[in-house]
Amino acid sequence: MKHLELKIAERTLANGLTLLAVQNRGVATFAAGVMFDVDVRDEASNEQGLAALLGDCLDEGSKERSSLEIAAALDDLGASLDAHSAGASVHCPAEVARKAVAILTEVVAQPAFPAREVRRVRDEVLQELKTDADDPRIVAGQRFRKAIYGRHPYGRSARGSRRQVGAYEPKDLRRFHKAQFVPERGYVAAAGPDEPKRTLDMLERAFRGLKGDKPARRAVSVPELPEAVSDVHVPMKREQVHVYLGHLGIRREDPDYYALSVMDHILGTGPGFTSRISRKLRDEQGLCYSVDASIARSAREEPGVFAAYIGTSPEHRQRALDGFLSEMRRIQDTLPSAQELADVQEYLTGSFVWQLERNANLARYAIRCKRFDLGFDHLQRYPDIIRGVTRKDIRRVAQERLHPDRVIVVSAGA
């Protein structure tokens, strides 16, 4: 496994903002990202899709410059910027890091949400939502999450409905931004060749003026598992049927998270080798091109989902469902082979370091370590954690966390 040593430092500003700096020696590039703890849980029932639209409009102009002027400034620096519903990130040559961070600050802290640009983006989103409503995979996925989460905000579409999105005006985006993009619920992380202290000093100069009080998050209840199997099909004029099967999952803080991550790669996910479900349903039975199953991947502060997906021919729908349930029960009843476990452990420990080669991924890694209290030495501890997962651990967590007799099935298509 490639050896990677990281020097990470943090600083909390007087306004409550958390700064993180990662030194990546020997590189000529720099990346910084701003992330606020904002998601659909912060939207009122009449604000569905507002956070997503805000992210789409965040870089459409600031109080100082138009979107074209921002784009030109980034181009002059050889930099790129990506905005999203919880913030933005920038990537650039290391020698222009300070100027790129200044643009990042401008976009995140002082968006103007000009009416003309908001209308244009809103119209584009409305067209995309119309297209989504005709896509059976998206329809099935949304209905699946609704069936899993019920009245919990995660049961709603993050993009909202066409009726709701069509009614939003720039004032709604400004109000939501002011309330949610506040320092006490924010992180700024940067990675590049400089010493962490120098990077932290630069970030502090850029973001110390950020203001706002932390809002109270609405209390939401976590749904229960269904008492029995629930099966719903949405007919659509398509040749294929898209099927989701699963149930409520785990939080990221779950002590069995790593064992479940290993189980995922044996059961139903993971590039680089063939999982059981892929081998059975795709390679041996030829039911599909795309098939997947995972419980750990969606774990966050709130429980994610165990979700298995397949796109297949209508006549193979039940065969695919039987295959999912059979593999869920098999991993509960029998120990995985020693070779299966060794292959997954080698893949996970090897790929983890390679994923951190880019500065943007290093910045996200630092935020993830802080958000989930993993410790900045997580990189060094991770291989031993994964190698410490045993065959009996896999069977135990499968027995405790998979519920083949209480799954929700939602499909859409032919």
Side-chain angles (χ1 to χ4, degrees):
M1 183 183 76
K2 180 181 177 180
H3 184 64
L4 181 64
E5 290 187 1
L6 300 178
K7 193 173 181 180
I8 305 177
E10 68 174 297
R11 183 181 300 174
T12 301
L13 302 186
N15 60 11
L17 186 68
T18 299
L19 306 181
L20 302 163
V22 185
Q23 184 177 25
N24 189 12
R25 296 180 186 274
V27 299
T29 58
F30 171 89
V34 182
M35 198 205 77
F36 295 93
D37 183 18
V38 180
D39 67 16
V40 295
R41 290 174 294 168
D42 300 295
E43 296 175 338
S45 58
N46 62 344
E47 293 179 331
Q48 294 177 32
L50 188 56
L53 182 61
L54 182 150
D56 291 334
C57 296
L58 198 61
D59 59 351
E60 292 296 336
S62 71
K63 295 178 181 178
E64 301 294 330
R65 287 183 275 197
S66 69
S67 59
L68 291 177
E69 290 170 332
I70 291 173
L74 289 166
D75 191 56
D76 288 343
L77 298 177
S80 61
L81 184 141
D82 295 302
H84 50 82
S85 60
S89 60
V90 69
H91 185 273
C92 65
E95 64 265 21
V96 297
R98 181 182 59 80
K99 293 180 179 180
V101 166
I103 297 174
L104 176 65
T105 308
E106 184 180 327
V107 166
V108 170
Q110 300 179 348
F113 302 117
R116 180 177 178 179
E117 302 301 335
V118 169
R119 285 195 299 269
R120 176 183 57 78
V121 173
R122 186 184 61 195
D123 289 346
E124 292 172 356
V125 172
L126 290 173
Q127 184 57 47
E128 291 168 359
L129 290 174
K130 184 178 180 180
T131 302
D132 289 349
D134 199 40
D135 186 323
R137 179 167 184 172
I138 294 176
V139 170
Q142 291 177 346
R143 289 285 293 267
F144 176 69
R145 291 186 66 84
K146 177 64 176 176
I148 294 261
Y149 285 109
R151 297 177 63 87
H152 190 284
Y154 284 0
R156 307 193 300 241
S157 168
R159 305 194 71 190
S161 68
R162 296 186 77 242
R163 178 185 60 81
Q164 290 170 314
V165 173
Y168 292 142
E169 299 291 342
K171 64 180 181 180
D172 301 306
L173 300 179
R174 296 187 190 109
R175 171 180 51 78
F176 193 81
H177 176 271
K178 182 178 180 181
Q180 305 298 337
F181 278 43
V182 296
E184 276 194 81
R185 65 190 311 176
Y187 304 85
V188 181
D194 272 354
E195 281 286 335
K197 184 181 182 304
R198 289 188 60 187
T199 301
L200 289 175
D201 289 343
M202 176 182 64
L203 296 178
E204 179 170 0
R205 288 191 295 269
F207 288 96
R208 62 190 173 193
L210 193 63
K211 298 178 181 179
D213 297 323
K214 183 178 180 180
R217 175 159 278 160
R218 296 172 179 83
V220 291
S221 59
V222 176
E224 301 290 335
L225 287 168
E227 292 300 319
V229 173
S230 169
D231 193 338
V232 174
H233 178 67
V234 182
M236 299 178 72
K237 292 183 178 180
R238 291 291 187 276
E239 293 183 0
Q240 270 203 326
V241 62
H242 297 264
V243 185
Y244 286 88
L245 174 151
H247 51 67
L248 195 69
I250 62 165
R251 289 182 168 88
R252 178 60 181 80
E253 64 187 15
D254 193 295
D256 285 324
Y257 171 83
Y258 297 102
L260 287 165
S261 179
V262 176
M263 183 204 74
D264 278 351
H265 285 75
I266 294 174
L267 177 65
T269 193
F273 55 90
T274 303
S275 67
R276 289 180 174 184
I277 285 177
S278 296
R279 184 171 63 251
K280 290 287 185 181
L281 301 188
R282 184 189 64 202
D283 301 340
E284 295 181 9
Q285 300 183 36
L287 300 184
C288 61
Y289 290 110
S290 176
V291 64
D292 182 70
S294 174
I295 189 172
R297 184 169 51 207
S298 60
R300 297 292 184 272
E301 291 93 346
E302 293 283 285
V305 296
F306 167 70
Y309 163 79
I310 188 170
T312 188
S313 301
E315 63 269 22
H316 293 146
R317 180 182 185 272
Q318 189 58 50
R319 190 175 172 188
L321 293 176
D322 292 343
F324 281 142
L325 296 173
S326 175
E327 291 305 321
M328 289 172 69
R329 293 187 176 109
R330 184 162 77 95
I331 203 167
Q332 290 179 320
D333 295 339
T334 61
L335 293 173
S337 71
Q339 189 62 53
E340 281 182 305
L341 179 58
D343 287 345
V344 169
Q345 289 171 327
E346 181 179 0
Y347 169 74
L348 288 175
T349 55
S351 63
F352 186 70
V353 172
W354 291 108
Q355 292 170 8
L356 298 179
E357 284 198 312
R358 298 181 60 200
N359 284 325
N361 291 342
L362 286 172
R364 284 191 288 268
Y365 166 79
I367 292 176
R368 189 164 64 249
C369 287
K370 188 64 179 177
R371 283 185 69 193
F372 297 110
D373 197 26
L374 303 180
F376 294 139
D377 63 343
H378 179 65
L379 175 65
Q380 286 72 41
R381 293 185 291 106
Y382 180 80
D384 289 337
I385 294 172
I386 295 300
R387 294 191 189 104
V389 175
T390 68
R391 297 163 66 200
K392 289 184 178 179
D393 289 332
I394 300 301
R395 185 175 61 184
R396 175 184 61 79
V397 297
Q399 290 172 345
E400 294 176 357
R401 306 309 174 91
L402 298 183
H403 306 279
D405 298 322
R406 302 175 70 179
V407 296
I408 288 171
V409 178
V410 176
S411 62

